[in-house]
Amino acid sequence: MSERRSGLSGALLVAGFVLASLNLRPALAGISPVLDEIMTDVGLSPAGGGAITTVMVVCLGVLAPLAPPLARRFGLDRVLLACLLVVAAGVLLRGADGVIALYAGAAVAGAAIAVMNVVMPGVVKQHFPANVGLFTGIYVSGLVVGAAAASGLTVPLEHATGYGWREVTAMAAVPAVLAAAVWLPQALRPPVAGTAAPRPFRVLLRAPMTWVITVYMGLQSLTFYIVLAWLPTIFKEAGLPADQAGYLLSLTNLVQVAATLAVPLHAGRARSQVPHVTVAALLTVAGYAGVLLAPTTLPWLWMIILGVGQGASIALALLIITLRAPDPVSVTALSAVAQSAGYVLAALGPLVIGVLREASGGWTVPLLAGLGACGLQLAAGFLAGRPVPVQTSVPAARE
């Protein structure tokens, strides 16, 4: 009986972990396919429309430092449970009437996702220390699948149900509540010993590798959120129908699944991750270039190339965070530093692209700016992927 209970407990742990990972991006990805409708309904400019995503990504950065103290006080598992419920509340508020509710709901959901982003690498280190590469790949794949489902199903759900953007985007609350229900048994357990250790922030902030990882995290996120926020609009203005534009965004997110599963397994065993981050950045450049030069010519090909590059990039950024820190406390602290400053940088992407689109009247200048960011991502990734000894890059917490 005890073995059966142990097996059930392990299955619920993995199932809850996977379901939680599926809720890391739908609140963000479900906006872009209906962004035109939102701007028309609420009366927003392109810059104002881009600011919806920007608000959420700013929260991912500014509020990420909340995660370590919350994890110390309540434990990683209970914090994850609370965040899932707050995500559900945020997307429901975002779908309420009015501009204030739109942005406030985006901020609430973004705050919860900010903390989830930080604690997930710590959860991997805490519950799966012998399989960091595998479970990093699993949760990043869940992140990508969640984004793909939201971007690909939003418009079809509108057509199938007859609902507007408010009701359809609010449906992201359903998987969040489901994940919370499955994760509940894990959260009811006493916090794992050691999670109350002090944060090694002072040591982290003095380590050069911390800032290299942070810049890489921010730049790969910036190039990702530009695509997430504006790709369907780019394709629609190039002449593709709205549903096809949404499917193409979904395609690039689905393609990322293969990269997010395979790359951490291989890169996690390698001495250096430099070759991996280099190839990932170059593929991202190729995808951007295809959208810029021939958006309606073989768009599915550009989405596949872009998906492989961006999927590998996010997986590598999160894998490097987990590899460079020796324990769950240090992983959570490094994750907070890297994602806090990194997402503040990334938040500029959708907003700047919207401003450039409004100022230039086309997509050439914005996409050239995106290509420039990809080049900087390549440089930062080269430095972050070096095999720097763990104790040099991120020392463990000290008493």
Side-chain angles (χ1 to χ4, degrees):
M1 179 67 69
S2 62
E3 291 183 2
R4 182 180 302 175
R5 186 178 297 111
S6 177
L8 177 61
S9 175
L12 283 174
L13 170 63
V14 174
F17 178 76
V18 171
L19 288 172
S21 72
L22 290 170
N23 284 278
L24 288 168
R25 289 299 178 270
L28 282 156
I31 288 294
S32 58
V34 291
L35 187 55
D36 284 348
E37 295 178 43
I38 296 173
M39 291 190 295
T40 299
D41 183 26
V42 184
L44 298 176
S45 67
I52 301 170
T53 301
T54 295
V55 165
M56 300 188 74
V57 181
V58 165
C59 289
L60 300 189
V62 172
L63 300 179
L66 294 176
L70 288 173
R72 289 202 319 276
R73 176 67 178 84
F74 301 105
L76 290 168
D77 297 336
R78 294 175 182 178
V79 170
L80 182 57
L81 173 68
C83 287
L84 289 166
L85 296 175
V86 175
V87 166
V91 296
L92 290 173
L93 175 60
R94 190 180 60 188
D97 191 28
V99 175
I100 294 176
L102 174 64
Y103 286 112
V108 170
I113 295 170
V115 176
M116 288 176 66
N117 281 341
V118 172
V119 303
M120 288 296 276
V123 170
V124 171
K125 199 81 167 185
Q126 176 174 289
H127 290 294
F128 314 106
N131 297 286
V132 167
L134 173 62
F135 280 92
T136 297
I138 287 174
Y139 102 76
V140 181
S141 297
L143 179 156
V144 170
V145 170
S151 60
L153 295 177
T154 298
V155 173
L157 279 173
E158 275 192 309
H159 295 165
T161 63
Y163 292 147
W165 69 265
R166 299 177 189 277
E167 295 84 2
V168 171
T169 58
M171 289 180 182
V174 175
V177 172
L178 175 61
V182 177
W183 189 253
L184 180 62
Q186 190 64 37
L188 292 177
R189 297 172 179 268
V192 175
T195 57
R199 296 170 295 177
F201 274 148
R202 291 182 180 179
V203 177
L204 285 171
L205 296 176
R206 291 197 298 264
M209 182 55 72
T210 296
W211 298 107
V212 171
I213 293 172
T214 296
V215 172
Y216 178 59
M217 181 72 195
L219 287 170
Q220 68 81 26
S221 296
L222 183 148
T223 58
F224 171 79
Y225 282 111
I226 288 172
V227 170
L228 190 66
W230 288 112
L231 191 67
T233 304
I234 293 171
F235 279 132
K236 283 187 282 188
E237 293 190 10
L240 297 178
D243 55 352
Q244 187 175 345
Y247 292 146
L248 287 167
L249 179 60
S250 181
L251 172 62
T252 194
N253 284 322
L254 282 172
V255 169
Q256 291 180 34
V257 175
T260 54
L261 279 172
V263 171
L265 283 173
H266 186 268
R269 294 192 296 263
R271 180 172 179 271
S272 170
Q273 287 77 47
V274 169
H276 304 84
V277 297
T278 300
V279 172
L282 291 176
L283 288 171
T284 303
V285 167
Y288 263 81
V291 174
L292 170 63
L293 299 174
T296 59
T297 303
L298 300 178
W300 56 269
L301 177 60
W302 312 136
M303 293 304 93
I304 291 173
I305 293 171
L306 187 63
V308 173
Q310 293 195 316
S313 295
I314 181 60
L316 287 165
L318 295 170
L319 176 67
I320 287 170
I321 288 173
T322 308
L323 289 176
R324 297 296 186 264
D327 55 69
V329 174
S330 297
V331 170
T332 303
L334 176 57
S335 182
V337 173
Q339 297 200 49
S340 177
Y343 279 120
V344 168
L345 173 61
L348 297 174
L351 180 61
V352 169
I353 293 301
V355 170
L356 289 175
R357 167 64 181 84
E358 199 168 345
S360 67
W363 287 107
T364 299
V365 172
L367 287 171
L368 286 174
L371 280 168
C374 292
L376 295 174
Q377 173 188 328
L378 174 59
F382 181 86
L383 297 174
R386 294 173 302 164
V388 177
V390 169
Q391 293 301 321
T392 299
S393 58
V394 186
R398 298 176 182 176
E399 298 293 339

